[in-house]
């Protein structure tokens, strides 16, 4: 499984439940995550393959689907996971690609 340094990689911007995020199909090195970003992994659902995904802190290797970086926490109040429907993740046909620093600067100048 590929592990990338997310700080050096441009990733497409999407929205998850209306929250801006960067997404990559790779695992990212947790030690290299840009300060101020939240890192989550997506795993496929064994109950609804191809439809639902589950947002977790660390996905099982066999169900790993990708990594999400956000400026806002998505798992709150002790929740261990968040089930997402494919409609909860919105991308644009011509999505802009950003490094985490560029993504953060876009919202915090």
């Amino acid at each position: 499984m590929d592990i990338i340094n997310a700080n050096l990689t441009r990733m497409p911007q999407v929205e998850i439940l209306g929250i801006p995020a960067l997404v990559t199909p790779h695992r990212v090195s947790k030690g290299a995550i840009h300060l101020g970003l939240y890192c989550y992994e997506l795993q496929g659902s064994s109950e609804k393959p191809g439809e639902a995904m589950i947002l977790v802190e660390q996905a099982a290797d066999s169900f790993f689907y990708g990594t999400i970086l956000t400026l806002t926490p998505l798992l709150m109040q002790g929740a261990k996971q968040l089930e997402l429907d494919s409609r909860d993740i919105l991308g644009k046909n011509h999505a802009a690609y950003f490094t985490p620093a560029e993504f953060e600067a876009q919202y915090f100048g």
Side-chain angles (χ1 to χ4, degrees):
M1 172 133 335
D2 291 340
I3 297 177
I4 62 168
N5 180 338
N7 289 327
L8 305 175
T9 305
R10 289 183 177 274
M11 296 171 264
Q13 182 175 332
V14 297
E15 283 190 5
I16 299 177
L17 300 171
I19 296 171
L22 296 177
V23 63
T24 178
H26 306 284
R27 285 197 192 268
V28 302
S29 172
K30 303 282 192 219
I33 295 170
H34 197 264
L35 191 61
L37 292 180
Y38 296 86
C39 179
Y40 302 102
E41 292 183 350
L42 288 169
Q43 69 180 29
S45 169
S46 58
E47 296 172 12
K48 300 177 187 174
E51 290 181 35
M53 289 173 276
I54 301 168
L55 187 76
V56 293
E57 298 250 346
Q58 185 165 355
D61 285 342
S62 58
F63 293 108
F64 178 80
Y65 189 78
T67 302
I68 299 288
L69 300 174
T70 66
L71 300 167
T72 306
L74 293 172
L75 293 179
M76 296 184 278
Q77 298 177 354
K80 300 280 186 207
Q81 65 182 36
L82 175 64
E83 187 170 326
L84 299 170
D85 187 278
S86 59
R87 296 171 298 204
D88 294 332
I89 302 174
L90 300 176
K92 300 174 183 142
N93 288 339
H94 302 287
Y97 283 68
F98 299 100
T99 65
E102 292 167 338
F103 177 64
E104 196 173 39
Q106 182 178 222
Y107 293 95
F108 297 121

